Amino acid sequence: MATFPSVKRSKRGYDPEEVDRFLRLARRAYEGDPEVPLVAEDIRRMGFDLQRGGYQPDAVDGALERLEDAFAARERAEARHELGDRRWLEQARGTAQVILNRLGRPDGQRFDRTSIFTIGYNKREVDKFAKRLVRYFRDGLPMSVDEVRTVVFRQQRHGYREAQVDLVLDAVIDVMLAVR
């Protein structure tokens, strides 16, 4: 089993037991165990409790990103085999168009907003990143999956609903991984 470097005992890192348990489960899923229906999206959304002296989060996150890429590549190959190249590509294009329709909305109107008393993502920062994504999809602007995975937005009152923004970013990652 893979082990990761630990943080100092005075700092917090990912719970080693949780990480190791998840990686054992992921290995079973990747090897085709039908009792473990794990997919790339599950890996992307995985989170671990923090504890003093745990695994270094950056090291674990890097491994999870590579694992997600491996699962996505396998899922892409299975989908292409199942659907055929043409239908598979049409499906990816359809998803990309839905994303573009959302991201092509005017500034301040791309996502639902939280109430005036609730915190959400900073609209200006999300809108700026959305424009980069539009240029990626429409003009071929270079952008990596990691840029989308690691984007961070400040918070603001009456900002964009975080869950909605996160769902679109997940869809962007799915499309990016699908057409690699």
Side-chain angles (χ1 to χ4, degrees), residues 119-163:
I119 300 293
Y121 284 146
N122 182 285
K123 296 183 306 268
R124 206 171 281 132
E125 290 177 2
V126 172
D127 286 340
K128 183 177 176 182
F129 193 72
K131 289 174 186 174
R132 284 189 61 213
L133 289 170
V134 168
R135 289 194 313 270
Y136 165 80
F137 282 111
R138 285 200 181 137
D139 306 329
L141 175 81
M143 180 176 270
S144 73
V145 174
D146 287 338
E147 287 178 80
V148 181
R149 281 181 179 140
T150 61
V151 68
V152 177
F153 304 111
R154 288 182 294 165
Q155 295 183 326
Q156 76 174 77
R157 290 195 187 282
H158 200 50
Y160 283 140
R161 292 199 180 279
E162 294 177 8

Side-chain angles (χ1 to χ4, degrees), residues 32-88:
D33 185 338
E35 294 182 23
V36 185
L38 193 67
V39 296
E41 182 178 348
D42 298 328
I43 296 167
R44 181 178 327 125
R45 293 173 184 250
M46 191 62 211
F48 303 105
D49 290 335
L50 296 174
Q51 73 175 41
R52 293 196 185 283
Y55 286 151
Q56 287 182 359
D58 289 347
V60 175
D61 290 345
L64 290 178
E65 288 169 6
R66 291 186 297 278
L67 188 61
E68 179 189 357
D69 288 346
F71 270 72
R74 185 180 70 184
E75 291 164 18
R76 178 178 60 240
E78 289 171 357
R80 287 177 87 166
H81 176 72
E82 197 173 295
L83 297 173
D85 283 346
R86 185 172 176 209
R87 281 194 52 218
W88 171 81

Side-chain angles (χ1 to χ4, degrees), residues 80-111:
R80 287 177 87 166
H81 176 72
E82 197 173 295
L83 297 173
D85 283 346
R86 185 172 176 209
R87 281 194 52 218
W88 171 81
L89 195 54
E90 286 172 3
Q91 193 175 50
R93 281 189 187 131
T95 303
Q97 188 59 56
V98 169
I99 292 167
L100 275 171
N101 291 345
R102 162 74 63 176
L103 299 180
R105 294 176 181 178
D107 286 353
Q109 298 177 25
R110 288 184 173 89
F111 300 95

Side-chain angles (χ1 to χ4, degrees), residues 1-59:
M1 180 53 59
T3 57
F4 299 95
S6 297
V7 297
K8 294 179 183 179
R9 302 277 291 145
S10 62
K11 297 198 181 268
R12 295 167 129 338
Y14 290 152
D15 182 329
E17 288 181 23
E18 283 185 18
V19 172
D20 291 341
R21 185 173 39 252
F22 178 74
L23 290 177
R24 283 192 300 274
L25 193 69
R27 174 174 279 184
R28 284 180 50 206
Y30 194 77
E31 291 172 350
D33 185 338
E35 294 182 23
V36 185
L38 193 67
V39 296
E41 182 178 348
D42 298 328
I43 296 167
R44 181 178 327 125
R45 293 173 184 250
M46 191 62 211
F48 303 105
D49 290 335
L50 296 174
Q51 73 175 41
R52 293 196 185 283
Y55 286 151
Q56 287 182 359
D58 289 347

